[in-house]
Amino acid sequence: IEEINNVTPEYVRSFEFDSKLMPSTWIVVRIDGCHFHRFSEVHEFVKPNDDRALNLMNLCAVAVLEKFWEDIVFAYGVSDEYSFIIKKTCNLYQRRANKMVSAIVSFFTSTYVMRWNEFFPQSELKYPPSFDGRAVCYPSTEILRDYLSWRQVDCHINNQYNSCFWKLVASGKSKREAQNSLKGGQLQKKIEELAIDYNKLPVMFRQGSSVYRDKVDTVPTHEENGNSFESKGKVIVEHVDIIGPTFWLEHLNILDE
Ligand code: ATP
Ligand code: ATP
Ligand code: MG
Ligand code: MG
Ligand code: MG
Ligand code: MG
Ligand code: MG
């Protein structure tokens, strides 16, 4: 004890460097399941799209929006990933990146574990799943929209590929054969060749999931313990095109600054 008496908290602290996220920019925290290729096999996810797993992801995202309701305005999810869009004016943890990412990713993960049984009542969790996370700043709404479009395009391309891949496997091809036959070729052509009725697939598989607060247009204030609160609106999950302008024009409040 005596030996460490001269070690001041200031000295130990002086080694800590907080990276702060740039002020007045949109922050995207993207989380992604670690080794979910394996996790989905061990837990027998239906391929290519297990809707129980997707619905569990969506529920966790709703929980995140409800918990961080002052700061997170939108989320977009596909497969084992979710992107959370945080307001430009957010000052949560003084915008310290480590704090923000770790708080979101750990809350998401613990919710995933707590609620697993509701979605997979027949199958026990065989080991603890984990997610990683990162934060990226986007200086304008236009670039943020480009980011979201990129994720939705990725969803579409992966889903086309996976639909072909698993159709080939179902027809008796090995995974290697399926992979080889999809190399280089145009996916659109493959879909026709394999007679996949792509547009009949559930919209959640094709467009991913968008989570946001359904704005009640008359903003009623209600009394709670003597304080009045603005109604926050219910958090909802929709499967919509977020690349074109229509969705954003119909929901101007989501990305207003
Ligand atoms: P990493 O740790 O680098 O993220 P990963 O194995 O998680 O590795 P990803 O690129 O994130 O790789 O891909 C996630 C994988 O999880 C998909 O390829 C798919 O096999 C599986 N997966 C995730 N969600 C589902 C789902 N709802 N239905 C079926 N499979 C899924
Ligand atoms: P923050 O979110 O800022 O970390 P906090 O409430 O978690 O806020 P900490 O400084 O991390 O504050 O302190 C953790 C608190 O949790 C302790 O002050 C104590 O009250 C409680 N705590 C943690 N572990 C134990 C334990 N094993 N037994 C009893 N209390 C505990
Ligand atoms: Mg990853
Ligand atoms: Mg992953
Ligand atoms: Mg992924
Ligand atoms: Mg502590
Ligand atoms: Mg603490």
Side-chain angles (χ1 to χ4, degrees), residues 13-25:
R13 281 266 187 207
S14 72
F15 291 86
E16 284 190 19
F17 291 94
D18 293 327
S19 37
K20 293 214 178 174
L21 296 163
M22 204 187 299
S24 304
T25 56

Side-chain angles (χ1 to χ4, degrees), residues 91-103:
N91 198 31
L92 183 65
Y93 304 118
Q94 292 80 245
R95 294 175 85 92
R96 289 156 68 186
N98 290 335
K99 285 269 196 180
M100 289 178 72
V101 173
S102 60

Side-chain angles (χ1 to χ4, degrees), residues 150-176:
W150 169 56
R151 295 325 301 143
Q152 193 165 45
V153 166
D154 208 52
C155 168
H156 175 67
I157 293 168
N158 286 334
N159 192 50
Q160 283 194 323
Y161 182 92
N162 292 335
S163 301
C164 293
F165 180 89
W166 289 101
K167 180 101 186 199
L168 287 165
V169 170
S171 76
K173 286 219 176 4
S174 74
K175 287 185 185 172
R176 183 187 296 266

Side-chain angles (χ1 to χ4, degrees), residues 30-35 80 131-134:
R30 182 167 77 253
I31 65 153
D32 184 284
C34 300
H35 310 297
D80 66 341
F131 291 81
D132 62 31
R134 74 196 67 187

